[in-house]
Amino acid sequence: RFSLAGGSTYPVANPISMNNFGPGGGGSLTVSGGWSSCTDTVPSQAEIRLSFQGAAGPFLLIGSSGGGTSNVTFRSVAVTATPAAGERLGIRLSGSGTTLTLDRSEIHLFRDGGVEVSGGADLLVDEDSSIHDNGPRPDGGGIHCTGAGSRVVLEGSVRSNQATRGGGSLAA
């Protein structure tokens, strides 16, 4: 688990790729904001911002293949794009064994969509999370879910996204 000081913005210049990460081809990672310092044991609830500012491709690519797993949780994290990021997708999930959980978190301001879920991946959005103000893109401005076995469990909100088909979300 990474525990990061709340109320801070952490700029990210290059896309992050996690494919079958961890020992033995699988693993779990929790990025947790809302801490006054990295040594605190009780969070202050102030979120952190991961601000994507750079190169081509999705901000975050989480994938699994060949029986591996990649499980990522964002807790009190805002994943956002700056205008300099241009036409970028926020997060791409791909492959059975891939799961992204949003816990009190948000994905927003990506011009090529918030989250793309494919190839049997899972997206879990809790009631205190949102995917908003993403797009425009051709399909699913907030969430684009495609491929056999792909799954979105949505308890939070998807709002103010834009797309030619399925502004908030599209399952194809």
Side-chain angles (χ1 to χ4, degrees):
R1 178 182 84 173
F2 288 104
S3 298
L4 302 170
S8 299
T9 298
Y10 297 88
V12 179
N14 295 304
I16 299 169
S17 179
M18 298 179 198
N19 189 35
N20 294 342
F21 67 92
S28 296
L29 171 68
T30 297
V31 178
S32 183
W35 302 86
S36 296
S37 74
C38 293
T39 58
D40 282 353
T41 57
V42 178
S44 66
Q45 300 307 314
E47 70 178 15
I48 61 162
R49 292 197 169 294
L50 297 178
S51 180
F52 181 63
Q53 302 177 354
F59 162 75
L60 180 60
L61 174 60
I62 305 170
S64 59
S65 60
T69 59
S70 295
N71 299 305
V72 176
T73 299
F74 286 144
R75 183 168 294 127
S76 296
V77 174
V79 179
T80 186
T82 64
E87 302 293 323
R88 303 290 180 252
L89 172 67
I91 299 174
R92 177 175 290 141
L93 308 174
S94 179
S96 179
T98 300
T99 301
L100 172 63
T101 302
L102 299 180
D103 177 4
R104 298 183 314 271
S105 295
E106 62 183 333
I107 310 295
H108 64 110
L109 301 178
F110 287 94
R111 285 191 244 164
D112 194 30
V115 184
E116 184 177 282
V117 184
S118 66
D122 294 326
L123 172 63
L124 312 174
V125 183
D126 84 344
E127 66 274 3
D128 296 318
S129 295
S130 66
I131 299 172
H132 62 92
D133 298 301
N134 296 291
R137 70 172 287 160
D139 296 320
I143 301 170
H144 182 205
C145 183
T146 184
S150 298
R151 184 174 69 125
V152 175
V153 177
L154 180 63
E155 296 175 356
S157 68
V158 177
R159 59 184 164 79
S160 302
N161 298 287
Q162 299 175 19
T164 306
R165 295 183 324 148
S169 61
L170 177 73

PDB file of all heavy atoms in Angstrom, residues 100-128:
ATOM      1  N   LEU A 100     -10.004  -3.047 -11.108  1.00  0.00           N
ATOM      2  CA  LEU A 100      -9.765  -1.727 -10.535  1.00  0.00           C
ATOM      3  C   LEU A 100     -10.939  -1.415  -9.634  1.00  0.00           C
ATOM      4  O   LEU A 100     -12.094  -1.488 -10.054  1.00  0.00           O
ATOM      5  CB  LEU A 100      -9.655  -0.646 -11.612  1.00  0.00           C
ATOM      6  CG  LEU A 100      -9.597   0.801 -11.084  1.00  0.00           C
ATOM      7  CD1 LEU A 100      -8.346   1.024 -10.233  1.00  0.00           C
ATOM      8  CD2 LEU A 100      -9.648   1.794 -12.242  1.00  0.00           C
ATOM      9  N   THR A 101     -10.641  -1.060  -8.380  1.00  0.00           N
ATOM     10  CA  THR A 101     -11.663  -0.654  -7.417  1.00  0.00           C
ATOM     11  C   THR A 101     -11.468   0.821  -7.106  1.00  0.00           C
ATOM     12  O   THR A 101     -10.365   1.234  -6.733  1.00  0.00           O
ATOM     13  CB  THR A 101     -11.549  -1.479  -6.120  1.00  0.00           C
ATOM     14  OG1 THR A 101     -11.689  -2.865  -6.441  1.00  0.00           O
ATOM     15  CG2 THR A 101     -12.605  -1.072  -5.111  1.00  0.00           C
ATOM     16  N   LEU A 102     -12.544   1.602  -7.257  1.00  0.00           N
ATOM     17  CA  LEU A 102     -12.529   3.010  -6.866  1.00  0.00           C
ATOM     18  C   LEU A 102     -13.262   3.136  -5.539  1.00  0.00           C
ATOM     19  O   LEU A 102     -14.443   2.806  -5.447  1.00  0.00           O
ATOM     20  CB  LEU A 102     -13.218   3.874  -7.925  1.00  0.00           C
ATOM     21  CG  LEU A 102     -12.591   3.856  -9.314  1.00  0.00           C
ATOM     22  CD1 LEU A 102     -13.390   4.752 -10.259  1.00  0.00           C
ATOM     23  CD2 LEU A 102     -11.134   4.273  -9.278  1.00  0.00           C
ATOM     24  N   ASP A 103     -12.567   3.580  -4.522  1.00  0.00           N
ATOM     25  CA  ASP A 103     -13.108   3.736  -3.175  1.00  0.00           C
ATOM     26  C   ASP A 103     -12.929   5.203  -2.786  1.00  0.00           C
ATOM     27  O   ASP A 103     -11.791   5.654  -2.603  1.00  0.00           O
ATOM     28  CB  ASP A 103     -12.345   2.806  -2.230  1.00  0.00           C
ATOM     29  CG  ASP A 103     -12.753   2.919  -0.777  1.00  0.00           C
ATOM     30  OD1 ASP A 103     -13.703   3.667  -0.461  1.00  0.00           O
ATOM     31  OD2 ASP A 103     -12.101   2.269   0.060  1.00  0.00           O
ATOM     32  N   ARG A 104     -14.028   5.962  -2.724  1.00  0.00           N
ATOM     33  CA  ARG A 104     -13.983   7.403  -2.433  1.00  0.00           C
ATOM     34  C   ARG A 104     -13.040   8.122  -3.389  1.00  0.00           C
ATOM     35  O   ARG A 104     -12.230   8.950  -2.996  1.00  0.00           O
ATOM     36  CB  ARG A 104     -13.572   7.653  -0.979  1.00  0.00           C
ATOM     37  CG  ARG A 104     -14.528   7.077   0.041  1.00  0.00           C
ATOM     38  CD  ARG A 104     -14.141   7.389   1.483  1.00  0.00           C
ATOM     39  NE  ARG A 104     -12.755   7.191   1.829  1.00  0.00           N
ATOM     40  CZ  ARG A 104     -12.221   6.058   2.279  1.00  0.00           C
ATOM     41  NH1 ARG A 104     -12.984   5.000   2.439  1.00  0.00           N
ATOM     42  NH2 ARG A 104     -10.954   5.987   2.591  1.00  0.00           N
ATOM     43  N   SER A 105     -13.136   7.785  -4.672  1.00  0.00           N
ATOM     44  CA  SER A 105     -12.208   8.311  -5.667  1.00  0.00           C
ATOM     45  C   SER A 105     -12.952   8.821  -6.891  1.00  0.00           C
ATOM     46  O   SER A 105     -14.150   8.610  -7.031  1.00  0.00           O
ATOM     47  CB  SER A 105     -11.210   7.225  -6.074  1.00  0.00           C
ATOM     48  OG  SER A 105     -10.401   6.874  -4.965  1.00  0.00           O
ATOM     49  N   GLU A 106     -12.226   9.501  -7.778  1.00  0.00           N
ATOM     50  CA  GLU A 106     -12.837  10.013  -8.997  1.00  0.00           C
ATOM     51  C   GLU A 106     -11.856   9.970 -10.158  1.00  0.00           C
ATOM     52  O   GLU A 106     -10.648  10.038  -9.966  1.00  0.00           O
ATOM     53  CB  GLU A 106     -13.358  11.435  -8.802  1.00  0.00           C
ATOM     54  CG  GLU A 106     -12.292  12.448  -8.454  1.00  0.00           C
ATOM     55  CD  GLU A 106     -12.854  13.839  -8.196  1.00  0.00           C
ATOM     56  OE1 GLU A 106     -13.909  14.186  -8.736  1.00  0.00           O
ATOM     57  OE2 GLU A 106     -12.204  14.584  -7.454  1.00  0.00           O
ATOM     58  N   ILE A 107     -12.431   9.826 -11.356  1.00  0.00           N
ATOM     59  CA  ILE A 107     -11.687   9.865 -12.615  1.00  0.00           C
ATOM     60  C   ILE A 107     -12.329  10.979 -13.421  1.00  0.00           C
ATOM     61  O   ILE A 107     -13.537  10.936 -13.697  1.00  0.00           O
ATOM     62  CB  ILE A 107     -11.818   8.539 -13.403  1.00  0.00           C
ATOM     63  CG1 ILE A 107     -11.524   7.314 -12.536  1.00  0.00           C
ATOM     64  CG2 ILE A 107     -10.973   8.577 -14.666  1.00  0.00           C
ATOM     65  CD1 ILE A 107     -10.127   7.197 -12.035  1.00  0.00           C
ATOM     66  N   HIS A 108     -11.550  12.003 -13.808  1.00  0.00           N
ATOM     67  CA  HIS A 108     -12.177  13.097 -14.538  1.00  0.00           C
ATOM     68  C   HIS A 108     -11.200  13.911 -15.385  1.00  0.00           C
ATOM     69  O   HIS A 108      -9.993  13.850 -15.197  1.00  0.00           O
ATOM     70  CB  HIS A 108     -12.957  14.006 -13.586  1.00  0.00           C
ATOM     71  CG  HIS A 108     -12.115  14.725 -12.579  1.00  0.00           C
ATOM     72  ND1 HIS A 108     -11.898  16.062 -12.619  1.00  0.00           N
ATOM     73  CD2 HIS A 108     -11.454  14.277 -11.503  1.00  0.00           C
ATOM     74  CE1 HIS A 108     -11.143  16.424 -11.598  1.00  0.00           C
ATOM     75  NE2 HIS A 108     -10.858  15.352 -10.912  1.00  0.00           N
ATOM     76  N   LEU A 109     -11.772  14.606 -16.351  1.00  0.00           N
ATOM     77  CA  LEU A 109     -11.102  15.550 -17.245  1.00  0.00           C
ATOM     78  C   LEU A 109     -10.225  14.897 -18.303  1.00  0.00           C
ATOM     79  O   LEU A 109      -9.314  15.531 -18.839  1.00  0.00           O
ATOM     80  CB  LEU A 109     -10.307  16.603 -16.462  1.00  0.00           C
ATOM     81  CG  LEU A 109     -11.122  17.455 -15.487  1.00  0.00           C
ATOM     82  CD1 LEU A 109     -10.203  18.417 -14.733  1.00  0.00           C
ATOM     83  CD2 LEU A 109     -12.217  18.211 -16.212  1.00  0.00           C
ATOM     84  N   PHE A 110     -10.494  13.643 -18.654  1.00  0.00           N
ATOM     85  CA  PHE A 110      -9.768  12.996 -19.747  1.00  0.00           C
ATOM     86  C   PHE A 110     -10.561  13.176 -21.036  1.00  0.00           C
ATOM     87  O   PHE A 110     -11.728  12.806 -21.121  1.00  0.00           O
ATOM     88  CB  PHE A 110      -9.525  11.512 -19.445  1.00  0.00           C
ATOM     89  CG  PHE A 110      -8.475  11.308 -18.407  1.00  0.00           C
ATOM     90  CD1 PHE A 110      -8.822  11.165 -17.074  1.00  0.00           C
ATOM     91  CD2 PHE A 110      -7.136  11.295 -18.759  1.00  0.00           C
ATOM     92  CE1 PHE A 110      -7.851  11.002 -16.102  1.00  0.00           C
ATOM     93  CE2 PHE A 110      -6.161  11.133 -17.789  1.00  0.00           C
ATOM     94  CZ  PHE A 110      -6.511  10.985 -16.459  1.00  0.00           C
ATOM     95  N   ARG A 111      -9.918  13.735 -22.049  1.00  0.00           N
ATOM     96  CA  ARG A 111     -10.626  14.066 -23.286  1.00  0.00           C
ATOM     97  C   ARG A 111     -10.947  12.857 -24.143  1.00  0.00           C
ATOM     98  O   ARG A 111     -11.798  12.955 -25.014  1.00  0.00           O
ATOM     99  CB  ARG A 111      -9.831  15.091 -24.088  1.00  0.00           C
ATOM    100  CG  ARG A 111      -9.952  16.468 -23.461  1.00  0.00           C
ATOM    101  CD  ARG A 111      -9.411  17.500 -24.391  1.00  0.00           C
ATOM    102  NE  ARG A 111      -8.254  18.111 -23.773  1.00  0.00           N
ATOM    103  CZ  ARG A 111      -7.369  18.835 -24.400  1.00  0.00           C
ATOM    104  NH1 ARG A 111      -7.478  19.042 -25.673  1.00  0.00           N
ATOM    105  NH2 ARG A 111      -6.361  19.348 -23.746  1.00  0.00           N
ATOM    106  N   ASP A 112     -10.286  11.730 -23.936  1.00  0.00           N
ATOM    107  CA  ASP A 112     -10.616  10.535 -24.716  1.00  0.00           C
ATOM    108  C   ASP A 112     -11.303   9.483 -23.847  1.00  0.00           C
ATOM    109  O   ASP A 112     -11.213   8.294 -24.095  1.00  0.00           O
ATOM    110  CB  ASP A 112      -9.369   9.957 -25.389  1.00  0.00           C
ATOM    111  CG  ASP A 112      -9.723   8.934 -26.465  1.00  0.00           C
ATOM    112  OD1 ASP A 112     -10.803   9.059 -27.072  1.00  0.00           O
ATOM    113  OD2 ASP A 112      -8.934   8.003 -26.682  1.00  0.00           O
ATOM    114  N   GLY A 113     -11.998   9.921 -22.816  1.00  0.00           N
ATOM    115  CA  GLY A 113     -12.777   9.016 -21.992  1.00  0.00           C
ATOM    116  C   GLY A 113     -12.127   8.720 -20.656  1.00  0.00           C
ATOM    117  O   GLY A 113     -10.913   8.869 -20.488  1.00  0.00           O
ATOM    118  N   GLY A 114     -12.979   8.303 -19.697  1.00  0.00           N
ATOM    119  CA  GLY A 114     -12.519   8.026 -18.346  1.00  0.00           C
ATOM    120  C   GLY A 114     -11.896   6.657 -18.184  1.00  0.00           C
ATOM    121  O   GLY A 114     -10.709   6.529 -17.905  1.00  0.00           O
ATOM    122  N   VAL A 115     -12.709   5.598 -18.379  1.00  0.00           N
ATOM    123  CA  VAL A 115     -12.239   4.224 -18.164  1.00  0.00           C
ATOM    124  C   VAL A 115     -12.724   3.338 -19.294  1.00  0.00           C
ATOM    125  O   VAL A 115     -13.899   3.366 -19.660  1.00  0.00           O
ATOM    126  CB  VAL A 115     -12.744   3.645 -16.816  1.00  0.00           C
ATOM    127  CG1 VAL A 115     -12.171   2.255 -16.578  1.00  0.00           C
ATOM    128  CG2 VAL A 115     -12.410   4.564 -15.652  1.00  0.00           C
ATOM    129  N   GLU A 116     -11.829   2.537 -19.834  1.00  0.00           N
ATOM    130  CA  GLU A 116     -12.165   1.529 -20.839  1.00  0.00           C
ATOM    131  C   GLU A 116     -11.943   0.163 -20.212  1.00  0.00           C
ATOM    132  O   GLU A 116     -10.864  -0.119 -19.683  1.00  0.00           O
ATOM    133  CB  GLU A 116     -11.259   1.713 -22.051  1.00  0.00           C
ATOM    134  CG  GLU A 116     -11.564   0.805 -23.199  1.00  0.00           C
ATOM    135  CD  GLU A 116     -10.645   1.125 -24.364  1.00  0.00           C
ATOM    136  OE1 GLU A 116     -10.898   2.119 -25.060  1.00  0.00           O
ATOM    137  OE2 GLU A 116      -9.659   0.368 -24.551  1.00  0.00           O
ATOM    138  N   VAL A 117     -12.976  -0.678 -20.232  1.00  0.00           N
ATOM    139  CA  VAL A 117     -12.934  -2.006 -19.607  1.00  0.00           C
ATOM    140  C   VAL A 117     -13.105  -3.038 -20.714  1.00  0.00           C
ATOM    141  O   VAL A 117     -14.105  -3.023 -21.436  1.00  0.00           O
ATOM    142  CB  VAL A 117     -14.073  -2.162 -18.566  1.00  0.00           C
ATOM    143  CG1 VAL A 117     -13.975  -3.500 -17.858  1.00  0.00           C
ATOM    144  CG2 VAL A 117     -14.067  -1.014 -17.572  1.00  0.00           C
ATOM    145  N   SER A 118     -12.148  -3.975 -20.881  1.00  0.00           N
ATOM    146  CA  SER A 118     -12.244  -4.948 -21.971  1.00  0.00           C
ATOM    147  C   SER A 118     -11.612  -6.281 -21.583  1.00  0.00           C
ATOM    148  O   SER A 118     -10.898  -6.382 -20.589  1.00  0.00           O
ATOM    149  CB  SER A 118     -11.567  -4.397 -23.232  1.00  0.00           C
ATOM    150  OG  SER A 118     -10.182  -4.256 -23.027  1.00  0.00           O
ATOM    151  N   GLY A 119     -11.887  -7.291 -22.402  1.00  0.00           N
ATOM    152  CA  GLY A 119     -11.234  -8.589 -22.279  1.00  0.00           C
ATOM    153  C   GLY A 119     -11.470  -9.335 -20.983  1.00  0.00           C
ATOM    154  O   GLY A 119     -10.639 -10.107 -20.554  1.00  0.00           O
ATOM    155  N   GLY A 120     -12.601  -9.086 -20.324  1.00  0.00           N
ATOM    156  CA  GLY A 120     -12.908  -9.801 -19.093  1.00  0.00           C
ATOM    157  C   GLY A 120     -12.469  -9.092 -17.828  1.00  0.00           C
ATOM    158  O   GLY A 120     -12.505  -9.674 -16.741  1.00  0.00           O
ATOM    159  N   ALA A 121     -12.046  -7.840 -17.921  1.00  0.00           N
ATOM    160  CA  ALA A 121     -11.621  -7.065 -16.746  1.00  0.00           C
ATOM    161  C   ALA A 121     -12.832  -6.602 -15.940  1.00  0.00           C
ATOM    162  O   ALA A 121     -13.958  -6.594 -16.435  1.00  0.00           O
ATOM    163  CB  ALA A 121     -10.791  -5.856 -17.188  1.00  0.00           C
ATOM    164  N   ASP A 122     -12.598  -6.195 -14.692  1.00  0.00           N
ATOM    165  CA  ASP A 122     -13.652  -5.721 -13.791  1.00  0.00           C
ATOM    166  C   ASP A 122     -13.347  -4.308 -13.308  1.00  0.00           C
ATOM    167  O   ASP A 122     -12.214  -3.999 -12.942  1.00  0.00           O
ATOM    168  CB  ASP A 122     -13.751  -6.614 -12.547  1.00  0.00           C
ATOM    169  CG  ASP A 122     -14.216  -8.016 -12.856  1.00  0.00           C
ATOM    170  OD1 ASP A 122     -15.037  -8.184 -13.773  1.00  0.00           O
ATOM    171  OD2 ASP A 122     -13.755  -8.946 -12.169  1.00  0.00           O
ATOM    172  N   LEU A 123     -14.393  -3.480 -13.274  1.00  0.00           N
ATOM    173  CA  LEU A 123     -14.328  -2.150 -12.680  1.00  0.00           C
ATOM    174  C   LEU A 123     -15.372  -2.091 -11.581  1.00  0.00           C
ATOM    175  O   LEU A 123     -16.557  -2.351 -11.824  1.00  0.00           O
ATOM    176  CB  LEU A 123     -14.611  -1.069 -13.730  1.00  0.00           C
ATOM    177  CG  LEU A 123     -14.769   0.367 -13.200  1.00  0.00           C
ATOM    178  CD1 LEU A 123     -13.468   0.854 -12.556  1.00  0.00           C
ATOM    179  CD2 LEU A 123     -15.204   1.292 -14.325  1.00  0.00           C
ATOM    180  N   LEU A 124     -14.952  -1.757 -10.359  1.00  0.00           N
ATOM    181  CA  LEU A 124     -15.845  -1.656  -9.212  1.00  0.00           C
ATOM    182  C   LEU A 124     -15.819  -0.212  -8.721  1.00  0.00           C
ATOM    183  O   LEU A 124     -14.752   0.289  -8.342  1.00  0.00           O
ATOM    184  CB  LEU A 124     -15.403  -2.602  -8.098  1.00  0.00           C
ATOM    185  CG  LEU A 124     -15.090  -4.043  -8.515  1.00  0.00           C
ATOM    186  CD1 LEU A 124     -14.526  -4.844  -7.352  1.00  0.00           C
ATOM    187  CD2 LEU A 124     -16.322  -4.711  -9.088  1.00  0.00           C
ATOM    188  N   VAL A 125     -16.972   0.459  -8.748  1.00  0.00           N
ATOM    189  CA  VAL A 125     -17.063   1.863  -8.370  1.00  0.00           C
ATOM    190  C   VAL A 125     -17.973   1.971  -7.156  1.00  0.00           C
ATOM    191  O   VAL A 125     -19.175   1.718  -7.261  1.00  0.00           O
ATOM    192  CB  VAL A 125     -17.619   2.718  -9.537  1.00  0.00           C
ATOM    193  CG1 VAL A 125     -17.651   4.195  -9.160  1.00  0.00           C
ATOM    194  CG2 VAL A 125     -16.803   2.497 -10.812  1.00  0.00           C
ATOM    195  N   ASP A 126     -17.417   2.333  -5.984  1.00  0.00           N
ATOM    196  CA  ASP A 126     -18.243   2.385  -4.778  1.00  0.00           C
ATOM    197  C   ASP A 126     -19.138   3.627  -4.772  1.00  0.00           C
ATOM    198  O   ASP A 126     -19.012   4.519  -5.607  1.00  0.00           O
ATOM    199  CB  ASP A 126     -17.386   2.277  -3.509  1.00  0.00           C
ATOM    200  CG  ASP A 126     -16.780   3.591  -3.042  1.00  0.00           C
ATOM    201  OD1 ASP A 126     -16.744   4.561  -3.816  1.00  0.00           O
ATOM    202  OD2 ASP A 126     -16.339   3.638  -1.879  1.00  0.00           O
ATOM    203  N   GLU A 127     -20.053   3.683  -3.799  1.00  0.00           N
ATOM    204  CA  GLU A 127     -21.071   4.738  -3.741  1.00  0.00           C
ATOM    205  C   GLU A 127     -20.502   6.130  -3.527  1.00  0.00           C
ATOM    206  O   GLU A 127     -21.165   7.132  -3.782  1.00  0.00           O
ATOM    207  CB  GLU A 127     -22.126   4.427  -2.668  1.00  0.00           C
ATOM    208  CG  GLU A 127     -21.598   4.439  -1.245  1.00  0.00           C
ATOM    209  CD  GLU A 127     -20.981   3.125  -0.774  1.00  0.00           C
ATOM    210  OE1 GLU A 127     -20.887   2.158  -1.564  1.00  0.00           O
ATOM    211  OE2 GLU A 127     -20.556   3.059   0.393  1.00  0.00           O
ATOM    212  N   ASP A 128     -19.271   6.243  -3.077  1.00  0.00           N
ATOM    213  CA  ASP A 128     -18.651   7.542  -2.839  1.00  0.00           C
ATOM    214  C   ASP A 128     -17.650   7.930  -3.925  1.00  0.00           C
ATOM    215  O   ASP A 128     -16.822   8.811  -3.720  1.00  0.00           O
ATOM    216  CB  ASP A 128     -17.949   7.542  -1.477  1.00  0.00           C
ATOM    217  CG  ASP A 128     -18.932   7.372  -0.328  1.00  0.00           C
ATOM    218  OD1 ASP A 128     -20.005   7.997  -0.380  1.00  0.00           O
ATOM    219  OD2 ASP A 128     -18.634   6.605   0.602  1.00  0.00           O
TER     220      ASP A 128
END
